[in-house]
Amino acid sequence: MSTHAEERVAEEQVAEEEESPFTDTDFRDRLQELPPSAKLVAKVLEGEAPLSQGELASESLLPDRTVRYALNRLAEADLVESRYSFRDARKQVYFLSA
């Protein structure tokens, strides 16, 4: 890989890290108080949002009921938001609050 390409990749990684809510102290403090399942769901959403509840269960390897509980806890802490899916309006998709 050329030096120019390596620099571009490094810049993209820095930009991604800056955009992550996990770098926000307030976000981390609120997340700290939540159960491990909520932390795992938040981490999955960090990399792959927006996801439906079923997709979150599949990606996190948690049962649907546990994902639902984690999403409720994250929503109560204002760490996650939802909207209707563009692909299937019957489903909600979830993403981290900025």
Side-chain angles (χ1 to χ4, degrees), residues 17-89:
E17 290 173 6
E18 289 175 357
E19 294 174 6
S20 172
F22 281 86
T23 59
D24 178 31
T25 306
D26 181 50
F27 183 93
R28 292 180 65 88
D29 290 344
R30 288 184 285 154
L31 188 62
Q32 183 76 30
E33 303 301 319
L34 298 180
S37 61
K39 293 172 185 166
L40 176 58
V41 167
K43 196 64 175 169
V44 170
L45 285 173
E46 178 190 29
E48 301 185 37
L51 294 173
S52 69
Q53 182 179 324
E55 292 168 329
L56 279 166
S58 177
E59 291 294 321
S60 66
L61 304 177
L62 294 171
D64 286 336
R65 184 175 178 173
T66 304
V67 171
R68 187 169 42 254
Y69 173 75
L71 287 169
N72 286 335
R73 296 295 307 270
L74 287 164
E76 288 170 3
D78 293 324
L79 298 176
V80 72
E81 295 179 29
S82 66
R83 63 169 168 75
Y84 288 102
S85 171
F86 295 130
R87 290 180 287 168
D88 185 349

